[in-house]
CSV table of all heavy atoms in Angstrom, one decimal:
chain,number,residue,atom,x,y,z
G,6,ARG,N,-2.6,10.5,27.0
G,6,ARG,CA,-3.3,11.0,25.8
G,6,ARG,C,-4.6,10.2,25.6
G,6,ARG,O,-4.5,9.0,25.6
G,6,ARG,CB,-2.4,10.9,24.6
G,6,ARG,CG,-2.9,11.8,23.4
G,6,ARG,CD,-1.9,11.7,22.3
G,6,ARG,NE,-1.6,10.3,21.9
G,6,ARG,CZ,-0.7,10.0,21.0
G,6,ARG,NH1,0.1,10.9,20.5
G,6,ARG,NH2,-0.5,8.7,20.7
G,8,THR,N,-7.4,8.1,23.9
G,8,THR,CA,-7.4,7.3,22.6
G,8,THR,C,-8.8,7.1,22.1
G,8,THR,O,-9.8,7.1,22.8
G,8,THR,CB,-6.8,5.9,22.9
G,8,THR,OG1,-7.6,5.2,23.8
G,8,THR,CG2,-5.4,6.0,23.4
G,9,ARG,N,-8.9,7.0,20.8
G,9,ARG,CA,-10.2,6.8,20.1
G,9,ARG,C,-9.9,5.9,18.9
G,9,ARG,O,-8.9,6.1,18.2
G,9,ARG,CB,-11.0,8.0,19.8
G,9,ARG,CG,-10.3,8.9,18.7
G,9,ARG,CD,-11.3,10.0,18.3
G,9,ARG,NE,-12.4,9.6,17.5
G,9,ARG,CZ,-12.3,9.4,16.2
G,9,ARG,NH1,-11.1,9.6,15.5
G,9,ARG,NH2,-13.3,9.1,15.4
G,11,PRO,N,-10.5,5.0,15.2
G,11,PRO,CA,-11.0,5.7,14.0
G,11,PRO,C,-12.0,4.8,13.3
G,11,PRO,O,-11.8,3.6,13.2
G,11,PRO,CB,-9.8,5.8,13.1
G,11,PRO,CG,-8.7,5.0,13.7
G,11,PRO,CD,-9.1,4.5,15.1
G,24,LEU,N,-6.7,-7.5,5.4
G,24,LEU,CA,-5.3,-7.5,5.6
G,24,LEU,C,-4.8,-9.0,5.7
G,24,LEU,O,-3.7,-9.3,5.2
G,24,LEU,CB,-4.9,-6.8,7.0
G,24,LEU,CG,-5.0,-5.3,7.0
G,24,LEU,CD1,-4.9,-4.7,8.4
G,24,LEU,CD2,-3.9,-4.7,6.0
G,28,ALA,N,-2.2,-10.8,3.2
G,28,ALA,CA,-1.0,-11.3,3.8
G,28,ALA,C,-0.7,-12.7,3.2
G,28,ALA,O,0.4,-13.1,2.9
G,28,ALA,CB,-1.1,-11.5,5.3
G,31,PHE,N,0.6,-12.2,-0.3
G,31,PHE,CA,2.0,-11.8,-0.3
G,31,PHE,C,2.9,-13.1,-0.1
G,31,PHE,O,3.9,-13.3,-0.7
G,31,PHE,CB,2.3,-10.8,0.8
G,31,PHE,CG,1.5,-9.5,0.6
G,31,PHE,CD1,1.2,-8.7,1.8
G,31,PHE,CD2,1.1,-9.0,-0.6
G,31,PHE,CE1,0.5,-7.6,1.6
G,31,PHE,CE2,0.4,-7.8,-0.7
G,31,PHE,CZ,0.1,-7.1,0.4
G,32,GLY,N,2.4,-13.9,0.9
G,32,GLY,CA,3.2,-15.1,1.3
G,32,GLY,C,3.2,-16.1,0.1
G,32,GLY,O,4.3,-16.7,-0.2
G,35,MET,N,5.7,-14.9,-2.6
G,35,MET,CA,7.1,-15.1,-2.2
G,35,MET,C,7.4,-16.6,-2.1
G,35,MET,O,8.5,-17.0,-2.4
G,35,MET,CB,7.4,-14.5,-0.8
G,35,MET,CG,7.4,-12.9,-0.9
G,35,MET,SD,8.4,-12.2,-2.2
G,35,MET,CE,10.0,-12.6,-1.6
G,36,TYR,N,6.4,-17.5,-1.7
G,36,TYR,CA,6.7,-18.9,-1.6
G,36,TYR,C,7.0,-19.5,-3.0
G,36,TYR,O,8.0,-20.3,-3.1
G,36,TYR,CB,5.4,-19.6,-1.0
G,36,TYR,CG,5.5,-21.1,-0.9
G,36,TYR,CD1,6.3,-21.7,0.1
G,36,TYR,CD2,4.9,-21.9,-1.8
G,36,TYR,CE1,6.5,-23.0,0.2
G,36,TYR,CE2,5.1,-23.3,-1.8
G,36,TYR,CZ,5.8,-23.8,-0.8
G,36,TYR,OH,6.0,-25.2,-0.7
G,38,ARG,N,8.4,-18.1,-5.3
G,38,ARG,CA,9.7,-17.6,-5.7
G,38,ARG,C,10.8,-18.6,-5.4
G,38,ARG,O,11.8,-18.7,-6.1
G,38,ARG,CB,10.0,-16.2,-5.0
G,38,ARG,CG,11.3,-15.5,-5.5
G,38,ARG,CD,11.6,-14.3,-4.6
G,38,ARG,NE,12.9,-13.9,-4.9
G,38,ARG,CZ,13.2,-12.9,-5.8
G,38,ARG,NH1,12.2,-12.3,-6.4
G,38,ARG,NH2,14.4,-12.6,-6.0
G,39,ILE,N,10.6,-19.4,-4.3
G,39,ILE,CA,11.7,-20.3,-3.9
G,39,ILE,C,12.1,-21.3,-5.0
G,39,ILE,O,13.3,-21.5,-5.3
G,39,ILE,CB,11.2,-21.1,-2.6
G,39,ILE,CG1,11.1,-20.1,-1.5
G,39,ILE,CG2,12.2,-22.2,-2.3
G,39,ILE,CD1,10.5,-20.7,-0.2
G,42,LEU,N,13.3,-19.0,-9.0
G,42,LEU,CA,14.1,-17.8,-8.8
G,42,LEU,C,14.5,-17.1,-10.1
G,42,LEU,O,14.2,-15.9,-10.3
G,42,LEU,CB,15.4,-18.1,-8.0
G,42,LEU,CG,16.3,-17.0,-7.8
G,42,LEU,CD1,15.7,-15.8,-6.9
G,42,LEU,CD2,17.6,-17.4,-7.0
G,54,GLN,N,8.0,-0.8,-14.7
G,54,GLN,CA,8.4,-0.2,-13.4
G,54,GLN,C,8.0,1.3,-13.3
G,54,GLN,O,7.7,1.7,-12.3
G,54,GLN,CB,9.8,-0.5,-13.2
G,54,GLN,CG,10.1,-2.0,-13.0
G,54,GLN,CD,11.4,-2.5,-13.4
G,54,GLN,OE1,12.2,-1.8,-14.1
G,54,GLN,NE2,11.8,-3.7,-13.0
G,58,LEU,N,5.7,3.0,-10.5
G,58,LEU,CA,6.1,4.1,-9.7
G,58,LEU,C,5.1,5.3,-9.7
G,58,LEU,O,4.8,5.9,-8.7
G,58,LEU,CB,7.5,4.6,-10.2
G,58,LEU,CG,8.1,5.8,-9.4
G,58,LEU,CD1,8.5,5.3,-8.0
G,58,LEU,CD2,9.4,6.3,-10.1
G,62,PHE,N,2.7,7.0,-6.6
G,62,PHE,CA,2.5,8.5,-6.3
G,62,PHE,C,1.0,8.9,-6.4
G,62,PHE,O,0.5,9.7,-5.6
G,62,PHE,CB,3.4,9.3,-7.2
G,62,PHE,CG,4.8,9.5,-6.6
G,62,PHE,CD1,5.8,8.7,-7.1
G,62,PHE,CD2,5.0,10.4,-5.6
G,62,PHE,CE1,7.1,8.8,-6.6
G,62,PHE,CE2,6.3,10.5,-5.1
G,62,PHE,CZ,7.3,9.7,-5.6
G,65,LEU,N,-0.7,7.6,-3.3
G,65,LEU,CA,-0.3,8.3,-2.1
G,65,LEU,C,-0.9,9.7,-2.1
G,65,LEU,O,-1.4,10.2,-1.0
G,65,LEU,CB,1.3,8.5,-2.1
G,65,LEU,CG,2.1,7.2,-1.7
G,65,LEU,CD1,3.6,7.5,-1.8
G,65,LEU,CD2,1.8,6.7,-0.3
G,66,THR,N,-1.0,10.3,-3.3
G,66,THR,CA,-1.6,11.6,-3.4
G,66,THR,C,-3.1,11.5,-3.1
G,66,THR,O,-3.7,12.4,-2.4
G,66,THR,CB,-1.4,12.2,-4.8
G,66,THR,OG1,0.0,12.2,-5.0
G,66,THR,CG2,-1.9,13.6,-4.9
G,68,SER,N,-4.5,9.4,-1.1
G,68,SER,CA,-4.6,9.2,0.4
G,68,SER,C,-4.5,10.6,1.1
G,68,SER,O,-5.2,10.9,2.0
G,68,SER,CB,-3.5,8.3,0.9
G,68,SER,OG,-4.1,7.0,1.1
G,69,LEU,N,-3.6,11.4,0.6
G,69,LEU,CA,-3.4,12.8,1.2
G,69,LEU,C,-4.7,13.6,1.0
G,69,LEU,O,-5.2,14.2,2.0
G,69,LEU,CB,-2.3,13.5,0.5
G,69,LEU,CG,-2.1,15.0,0.9
G,69,LEU,CD1,-1.6,15.0,2.4
G,69,LEU,CD2,-1.1,15.7,0.0
G,76,GLU,N,-10.4,15.8,7.5
G,76,GLU,CA,-10.1,16.9,8.4
G,76,GLU,C,-11.0,18.2,8.1
G,76,GLU,O,-11.6,18.8,9.0
G,76,GLU,CB,-8.6,17.3,8.2
G,76,GLU,CG,-8.0,18.0,9.4
G,76,GLU,CD,-8.2,17.4,10.7
G,76,GLU,OE1,-8.2,16.1,10.8
G,76,GLU,OE2,-8.4,18.1,11.7
G,77,LYS,N,-11.2,18.5,6.8
G,77,LYS,CA,-12.0,19.6,6.5
G,77,LYS,C,-13.5,19.4,6.9
G,77,LYS,O,-14.2,20.2,7.4
G,77,LYS,CB,-12.0,19.8,4.9
G,77,LYS,CG,-10.7,20.3,4.4
G,77,LYS,CD,-10.5,21.7,4.5
G,77,LYS,CE,-9.2,22.2,3.8
G,77,LYS,NZ,-8.8,23.5,4.2
G,79,ARG,N,-14.5,17.5,9.4
G,79,ARG,CA,-14.6,17.7,10.8
G,79,ARG,C,-14.7,19.2,11.2
G,79,ARG,O,-15.3,19.5,12.2
G,79,ARG,CB,-13.4,17.1,11.5
G,79,ARG,CG,-13.4,15.6,11.6
G,79,ARG,CD,-12.2,15.0,12.2
G,79,ARG,NE,-12.2,13.6,12.2
G,79,ARG,CZ,-11.1,12.9,12.0
G,79,ARG,NH1,-9.9,13.4,11.9
G,79,ARG,NH2,-11.2,11.6,11.9
G,80,GLN,N,-14.0,20.0,10.4
G,80,GLN,CA,-14.0,21.5,10.7
G,80,GLN,C,-15.3,22.1,10.2
G,80,GLN,O,-15.4,23.3,10.3
G,80,GLN,CB,-12.8,22.1,10.2
G,80,GLN,CG,-11.5,21.6,10.8
G,80,GLN,CD,-10.2,22.0,10.0
G,80,GLN,OE1,-10.3,22.7,9.0
G,80,GLN,NE2,-9.1,21.5,10.4
G,166,LEU,N,-10.9,5.1,5.8
G,166,LEU,CA,-10.1,4.0,6.2
G,166,LEU,C,-9.9,3.0,5.1
G,166,LEU,O,-8.8,2.5,4.9
G,166,LEU,CB,-10.7,3.3,7.5
G,166,LEU,CG,-10.5,4.0,8.8
G,166,LEU,CD1,-11.3,3.3,9.9
G,166,LEU,CD2,-9.0,4.0,9.2
G,169,HIS,N,-7.5,4.2,2.5
G,169,HIS,CA,-6.1,4.2,3.0
G,169,HIS,C,-5.6,2.7,3.0
G,169,HIS,O,-4.4,2.5,2.7
G,169,HIS,CB,-5.9,4.8,4.4
G,169,HIS,CG,-6.2,6.3,4.4
G,169,HIS,ND1,-5.7,7.2,3.5
G,169,HIS,CD2,-7.0,7.0,5.2
G,169,HIS,CE1,-6.2,8.4,3.8
G,169,HIS,NE2,-7.0,8.3,4.8
G,173,LEU,N,-2.2,1.3,1.3
G,173,LEU,CA,-1.1,0.6,1.9
G,173,LEU,C,-0.8,-0.8,1.3
G,173,LEU,O,0.3,-1.3,1.3
G,173,LEU,CB,-1.2,0.6,3.4
G,173,LEU,CG,-2.3,-0.4,4.1
G,173,LEU,CD1,-1.7,-1.7,4.3
G,173,LEU,CD2,-2.6,0.3,5.5
G,176,LEU,N,1.3,-0.4,-1.6
G,176,LEU,CA,2.7,-0.2,-1.3
G,176,LEU,C,3.5,-1.5,-1.2
G,176,LEU,O,4.7,-1.6,-1.6
G,176,LEU,CB,2.9,0.6,0.0
G,176,LEU,CG,2.3,2.0,0.0
G,176,LEU,CD1,2.4,2.7,1.4
G,176,LEU,CD2,3.0,2.9,-1.0
G,180,THR,N,6.2,-3.1,-4.2
G,180,THR,CA,7.5,-3.6,-3.7
G,180,THR,C,7.8,-5.0,-4.2
G,180,THR,O,8.8,-5.3,-4.8
G,180,THR,CB,7.6,-3.6,-2.2
G,180,THR,OG1,7.4,-2.2,-1.8
G,180,THR,CG2,9.0,-4.0,-1.7
G,184,LEU,N,9.9,-4.0,-7.5
G,184,LEU,CA,11.2,-3.6,-6.9
G,184,LEU,C,12.1,-4.7,-6.5
G,184,LEU,O,13.4,-4.4,-6.5
G,184,LEU,CB,10.9,-2.6,-5.7
G,184,LEU,CG,10.3,-1.3,-6.0
G,184,LEU,CD1,10.2,-0.4,-4.8
G,184,LEU,CD2,11.0,-0.5,-7.1
G,185,ILE,N,11.6,-5.8,-6.1
G,185,ILE,CA,12.6,-6.8,-5.6
G,185,ILE,C,12.8,-8.0,-6.6
G,185,ILE,O,12.0,-8.1,-7.5
G,185,ILE,CB,12.2,-7.4,-4.2
G,185,ILE,CG1,10.9,-8.2,-4.3
G,185,ILE,CG2,12.1,-6.3,-3.2
G,185,ILE,CD1,10.7,-9.0,-2.9
X,3,ARG,N,-2.9,20.1,11.5
X,3,ARG,CA,-3.0,18.7,11.1
X,3,ARG,C,-2.8,18.6,9.6
X,3,ARG,O,-2.2,17.6,9.1
X,3,ARG,CB,-4.3,18.1,11.5
X,3,ARG,CG,-4.7,16.8,10.8
X,3,ARG,CD,-5.1,15.7,11.8
X,3,ARG,NE,-5.6,14.6,11.0
X,3,ARG,CZ,-4.9,13.5,10.7
X,3,ARG,NH1,-3.6,13.4,11.1
X,3,ARG,NH2,-5.3,12.5,10.0
X,4,GLU,N,-3.3,19.5,8.8
X,4,GLU,CA,-3.2,19.5,7.4
X,4,GLU,C,-1.7,19.6,7.0
X,4,GLU,O,-1.2,18.9,6.1
X,4,GLU,CB,-4.0,20.5,6.7
X,4,GLU,CG,-5.5,20.2,6.6
X,4,GLU,CD,-6.4,21.3,6.6
X,4,GLU,OE1,-6.1,22.3,6.0
X,4,GLU,OE2,-7.5,21.2,7.2
X,7,LEU,N,-0.1,16.4,7.6
X,7,LEU,CA,-0.5,15.4,6.5
X,7,LEU,C,0.4,15.6,5.3
X,7,LEU,O,0.9,14.6,4.7
X,7,LEU,CB,-2.0,15.5,6.2
X,7,LEU,CG,-2.9,15.0,7.3
X,7,LEU,CD1,-4.4,15.3,6.9
X,7,LEU,CD2,-2.8,13.5,7.5
X,11,TRP,N,3.1,13.0,3.5
X,11,TRP,CA,3.0,12.7,2.1
X,11,TRP,C,4.4,12.9,1.5
X,11,TRP,O,4.8,12.1,0.7
X,11,TRP,CB,2.0,13.6,1.4
X,11,TRP,CG,1.9,13.4,0.0
X,11,TRP,CD1,1.2,12.4,-0.7
X,11,TRP,CD2,2.4,14.2,-1.1
X,11,TRP,NE1,1.4,12.5,-2.1
X,11,TRP,CE2,2.1,13.7,-2.3
X,11,TRP,CE3,3.2,15.4,-1.0
X,11,TRP,CZ2,2.5,14.2,-3.5
X,11,TRP,CZ3,3.6,16.0,-2.2
X,11,TRP,CH2,3.2,15.4,-3.4
X,15,GLY,N,6.7,10.1,-0.3
X,15,GLY,CA,7.2,10.3,-1.6
X,15,GLY,C,8.7,10.1,-1.7
X,15,GLY,O,9.2,9.4,-2.6
X,18,THR,N,9.6,6.5,-1.3
X,18,THR,CA,9.3,5.8,-2.5
X,18,THR,C,10.5,6.0,-3.5
X,18,THR,O,11.0,5.0,-4.1
X,18,THR,CB,8.0,6.3,-3.1
X,18,THR,OG1,7.0,6.1,-2.2
X,18,THR,CG2,7.7,5.5,-4.4
X,19,ILE,N,10.9,7.2,-3.7
X,19,ILE,CA,12.0,7.5,-4.7
X,19,ILE,C,13.3,6.8,-4.2
X,19,ILE,O,14.0,6.2,-5.0
X,19,ILE,CB,12.2,9.0,-4.9
X,19,ILE,CG1,11.0,9.6,-5.6
X,19,ILE,CG2,13.5,9.3,-5.6
X,19,ILE,CD1,10.9,11.1,-5.6
X,22,TRP,N,13.2,3.2,-4.9
X,22,TRP,CA,13.3,3.1,-6.4
X,22,TRP,C,14.8,3.2,-6.8
X,22,TRP,O,15.3,2.4,-7.6
X,22,TRP,CB,12.5,4.2,-7.0
X,22,TRP,CG,12.6,4.2,-8.5
X,22,TRP,CD1,13.4,5.1,-9.2
X,22,TRP,CD2,11.9,3.4,-9.5
X,22,TRP,NE1,13.2,4.8,-10.6
X,22,TRP,CE2,12.3,3.8,-10.7
X,22,TRP,CE3,11.0,2.4,-9.3
X,22,TRP,CZ2,11.9,3.2,-11.9
X,22,TRP,CZ3,10.5,1.8,-10.5
X,22,TRP,CH2,11.0,2.2,-11.7
X,26,HIS,N,17.0,0.6,-8.8
X,26,HIS,CA,17.3,1.0,-10.2
X,26,HIS,C,18.4,2.1,-10.4
X,26,HIS,O,18.5,2.7,-11.4
X,26,HIS,CB,16.1,1.4,-11.0
X,26,HIS,CG,15.0,0.4,-10.9
X,26,HIS,ND1,14.1,0.4,-9.8
X,26,HIS,CD2,14.6,-0.6,-11.7
X,26,HIS,CE1,13.3,-0.7,-10.0
X,26,HIS,NE2,13.6,-1.3,-11.1
X,36,ARG,N,22.8,-7.6,-3.6
X,36,ARG,CA,21.3,-7.5,-4.0
X,36,ARG,C,20.5,-7.8,-2.7
X,36,ARG,O,19.4,-7.2,-2.5
X,36,ARG,CB,21.0,-8.5,-5.1
X,36,ARG,CG,19.6,-8.5,-5.6
X,36,ARG,CD,19.2,-7.1,-6.3
X,36,ARG,NE,17.8,-7.1,-6.6
X,36,ARG,CZ,17.1,-6.0,-6.6
X,36,ARG,NH1,17.7,-4.8,-6.4
X,36,ARG,NH2,15.8,-6.0,-6.9
X,40,VAL,N,17.5,-5.5,-1.3
X,40,VAL,CA,16.1,-6.0,-1.1
X,40,VAL,C,15.7,-5.8,0.4
X,40,VAL,O,14.5,-5.4,0.6
X,40,VAL,CB,16.0,-7.5,-1.6
X,40,VAL,CG1,14.6,-8.0,-1.1
X,40,VAL,CG2,16.1,-7.6,-3.1
X,43,ILE,N,14.8,-2.2,0.7
X,43,ILE,CA,13.6,-1.9,0.0
X,43,ILE,C,12.3,-2.4,0.7
X,43,ILE,O,11.3,-1.7,0.9
X,43,ILE,CB,13.6,-2.6,-1.5
X,43,ILE,CG1,14.6,-1.8,-2.3
X,43,ILE,CG2,12.2,-2.5,-2.1
X,43,ILE,CD1,15.0,-2.5,-3.6
X,47,ALA,N,9.4,-0.2,2.5
X,47,ALA,CA,7.9,-0.4,2.2
X,47,ALA,C,7.1,-0.5,3.5
X,47,ALA,O,6.1,0.1,3.7
X,47,ALA,CB,7.8,-1.7,1.4
X,50,LYS,N,6.8,2.8,5.2
X,50,LYS,CA,5.7,3.6,4.5
X,50,LYS,C,4.3,3.1,5.0
X,50,LYS,O,3.4,3.9,5.2
X,50,LYS,CB,5.9,3.5,3.0
X,50,LYS,CG,7.0,4.3,2.5
X,50,LYS,CD,7.5,3.9,1.1
X,50,LYS,CE,6.4,3.8,0.1
X,50,LYS,NZ,7.0,3.3,-1.2
X,51,VAL,N,4.1,1.8,5.0
X,51,VAL,CA,2.8,1.2,5.4
X,51,VAL,C,2.5,1.7,6.8
X,51,VAL,O,1.4,2.1,7.1
X,51,VAL,CB,2.9,-0.3,5.3
X,51,VAL,CG1,1.6,-0.9,6.0
X,51,VAL,CG2,2.9,-0.8,3.9
X,55,MET,N,-0.7,3.9,8.1
X,55,MET,CA,-1.6,3.4,9.2
X,55,MET,C,-1.7,4.5,10.3
X,55,MET,O,-2.7,4.8,10.7
X,55,MET,CB,-1.0,2.1,9.8
X,55,MET,CG,-1.3,0.9,8.9
X,55,MET,SD,-0.5,-0.5,9.7
X,55,MET,CE,-1.2,-1.9,8.7
X,58,PHE,N,-2.4,8.6,8.3
X,58,PHE,CA,-3.6,8.8,7.5
X,58,PHE,C,-4.8,8.0,8.1
X,58,PHE,O,-5.9,8.5,8.1
X,58,PHE,CB,-3.3,8.3,6.0
X,58,PHE,CG,-2.4,9.2,5.2
X,58,PHE,CD1,-1.9,8.7,4.0
X,58,PHE,CD2,-2.1,10.5,5.6
X,58,PHE,CE1,-1.0,9.5,3.2
X,58,PHE,CE2,-1.3,11.3,4.9
X,58,PHE,CZ,-0.7,10.8,3.7
X,59,MET,N,-4.5,6.8,8.6
X,59,MET,CA,-5.6,6.1,9.2
X,59,MET,C,-5.8,6.4,10.7
X,59,MET,O,-6.7,5.9,11.3
X,59,MET,CB,-5.3,4.6,9.1
X,59,MET,CG,-5.3,4.1,7.6
X,59,MET,SD,-4.8,2.3,7.5
X,59,MET,CE,-6.4,1.5,7.5
X,60,GLU,N,-5.0,7.3,11.2
X,60,GLU,CA,-5.1,7.8,12.6
X,60,GLU,C,-5.0,6.8,13.6
X,60,GLU,O,-5.6,6.9,14.7
X,60,GLU,CB,-6.4,8.6,12.7
X,60,GLU,CG,-6.5,9.8,11.8
X,60,GLU,CD,-7.8,10.5,11.9
X,60,GLU,OE1,-8.8,10.1,11.3
X,60,GLU,OE2,-7.9,11.6,12.5
X,62,ARG,N,-2.4,6.2,15.2
X,62,ARG,CA,-1.5,6.8,16.3
X,62,ARG,C,-2.2,7.1,17.5
X,62,ARG,O,-1.7,6.9,18.6
X,62,ARG,CB,-0.9,8.1,15.7
X,62,ARG,CG,0.4,8.5,16.4
X,62,ARG,CD,1.1,9.5,15.6
X,62,ARG,NE,0.3,10.7,15.3
X,62,ARG,CZ,0.4,11.9,16.0
X,62,ARG,NH1,1.3,12.0,16.9
X,62,ARG,NH2,-0.4,12.9,15.7
X,63,GLY,N,-3.5,7.5,17.4
X,63,GLY,CA,-4.3,7.9,18.6
X,63,GLY,C,-5.3,6.8,19.0
X,63,GLY,O,-6.2,7.0,19.7
X,64,ALA,N,-5.1,5.6,18.4
X,64,ALA,CA,-6.1,4.5,18.6
X,64,ALA,C,-5.7,3.7,19.9
X,64,ALA,O,-4.6,3.8,20.3
X,64,ALA,CB,-6.1,3.6,17.4
X,65,PRO,N,-6.7,2.9,20.4
X,65,PRO,CA,-6.3,2.1,21.6
X,65,PRO,C,-5.2,1.1,21.3
X,65,PRO,O,-5.0,0.7,20.2
X,65,PRO,CB,-7.6,1.4,21.9
X,65,PRO,CG,-8.7,2.2,21.2
X,65,PRO,CD,-8.1,2.8,20.0
X,68,LEU,N,-5.4,-2.2,19.1
X,68,LEU,CA,-5.4,-2.0,17.7
X,68,LEU,C,-4.0,-1.7,17.2
X,68,LEU,O,-3.6,-2.3,16.1
X,68,LEU,CB,-6.4,-0.9,17.3
X,68,LEU,CG,-6.5,-0.6,15.8
X,68,LEU,CD1,-7.0,-1.8,15.1
X,68,LEU,CD2,-7.4,0.6,15.5
X,72,LEU,N,-2.0,-4.2,14.5
X,72,LEU,CA,-1.5,-3.7,13.2
X,72,LEU,C,0.0,-3.8,13.1
X,72,LEU,O,0.6,-4.2,12.0
X,72,LEU,CB,-1.9,-2.3,12.9
X,72,LEU,CG,-3.5,-2.2,12.7
X,72,LEU,CD1,-3.9,-0.7,12.6
X,72,LEU,CD2,-3.9,-2.9,11.4
X,75,TRP,N,0.8,-7.5,12.5
X,75,TRP,CA,0.6,-7.8,11.1
X,75,TRP,C,1.8,-7.4,10.2
X,75,TRP,O,2.3,-8.1,9.4
X,75,TRP,CB,-0.7,-7.2,10.6
X,75,TRP,CG,-1.0,-7.5,9.2
X,75,TRP,CD1,-1.7,-8.5,8.7
X,75,TRP,CD2,-0.7,-6.6,8.0
X,75,TRP,NE1,-1.8,-8.5,7.3
X,75,TRP,CE2,-1.2,-7.3,6.9
X,75,TRP,CE3,0.0,-5.4,7.9
X,75,TRP,CZ2,-1.0,-6.8,5.6
X,75,TRP,CZ3,0.1,-4.9,6.6
X,75,TRP,CH2,-0.4,-5.6,5.5
X,79,ILE,N,4.4,-9.6,8.1
X,79,ILE,CA,4.6,-9.4,6.6
X,79,ILE,C,6.1,-9.3,6.3
X,79,ILE,O,6.6,-9.9,5.4
X,79,ILE,CB,3.8,-8.2,6.2
X,79,ILE,CG1,2.3,-8.4,6.2
X,79,ILE,CG2,4.2,-7.7,4.8
X,79,ILE,CD1,1.8,-9.4,5.2
X,83,ILE,N,8.1,-12.0,4.1
X,83,ILE,CA,8.6,-11.6,2.8
X,83,ILE,C,10.1,-11.8,2.7
X,83,ILE,O,10.7,-12.4,1.8
X,83,ILE,CB,8.3,-10.1,2.4
X,83,ILE,CG1,6.8,-10.0,2.2
X,83,ILE,CG2,9.1,-9.6,1.2
X,83,ILE,CD1,6.3,-8.5,2.0
X,86,LEU,N,11.2,-15.7,3.1
X,86,LEU,CA,11.0,-16.4,1.9
X,86,LEU,C,12.0,-15.9,0.8
X,86,LEU,O,12.5,-16.7,0.0
X,86,LEU,CB,9.6,-16.4,1.4
X,86,LEU,CG,8.6,-17.1,2.3
X,86,LEU,CD1,7.2,-16.9,1.8
X,86,LEU,CD2,8.9,-18.6,2.3
X,87,TYR,N,12.3,-14.6,0.8
X,87,TYR,CA,13.3,-14.1,-0.2
X,87,TYR,C,14.7,-14.7,0.1
X,87,TYR,O,15.3,-15.2,-0.9
X,87,TYR,CB,13.3,-12.6,-0.1
X,87,TYR,CG,14.4,-12.0,-1.0
X,87,TYR,CD1,14.2,-11.9,-2.4
X,87,TYR,CD2,15.7,-11.7,-0.5
X,87,TYR,CE1,15.2,-11.4,-3.2
X,87,TYR,CE2,16.7,-11.2,-1.4
X,87,TYR,CZ,16.4,-11.1,-2.7
X,87,TYR,OH,17.4,-10.6,-3.5
X,89,THR,N,15.3,-17.4,1.6
X,89,THR,CA,15.2,-18.9,1.2
X,89,THR,C,15.4,-19.0,-0.3
X,89,THR,O,16.1,-19.9,-0.8
X,89,THR,CB,13.9,-19.5,1.7
X,89,THR,OG1,13.7,-19.2,3.1
X,89,THR,CG2,13.9,-21.0,1.5
X,90,SER,N,14.7,-18.2,-1.1
X,90,SER,CA,14.8,-18.3,-2.5
X,90,SER,C,16.2,-18.1,-3.1
X,90,SER,O,16.5,-18.7,-4.1
X,90,SER,CB,13.8,-17.3,-3.2
X,90,SER,OG,14.3,-16.0,-3.2
Side-chain angles (χ1 to χ4, degrees):
Chain G
R6 198 176 51 187
T8 60
R9 67 173 284 276
L24 285 173
F31 301 150
M35 292 308 291
Y36 177 76
R38 188 188 168 90
I39 294 173
L42 180 60
Q54 292 151 344
L58 181 68
F62 274 97
L65 287 175
T66 307
S68 259
L69 174 68
E76 200 54 35
K77 294 274 186 201
R79 283 179 186 144
Q80 294 165 6
L166 282 172
H169 297 311
L173 74 85
L176 294 177
T180 302
L184 292 184
I185 67 171
Chain X
R3 164 126 175 101
E4 283 153 35
L7 290 171
W11 177 80
T18 300
I19 291 171
W22 174 260
H26 305 86
R36 184 67 187 149
V40 169
I43 290 169
K50 282 159 56 184
V51 167
M55 283 174 169
F58 288 166
M59 296 175 91
E60 300 177 280
R62 198 164 62 101
L68 180 62
L72 291 174
W75 179 85
I79 290 290
I83 291 174
L86 291 173
Y87 175 80
T89 306
S90 75

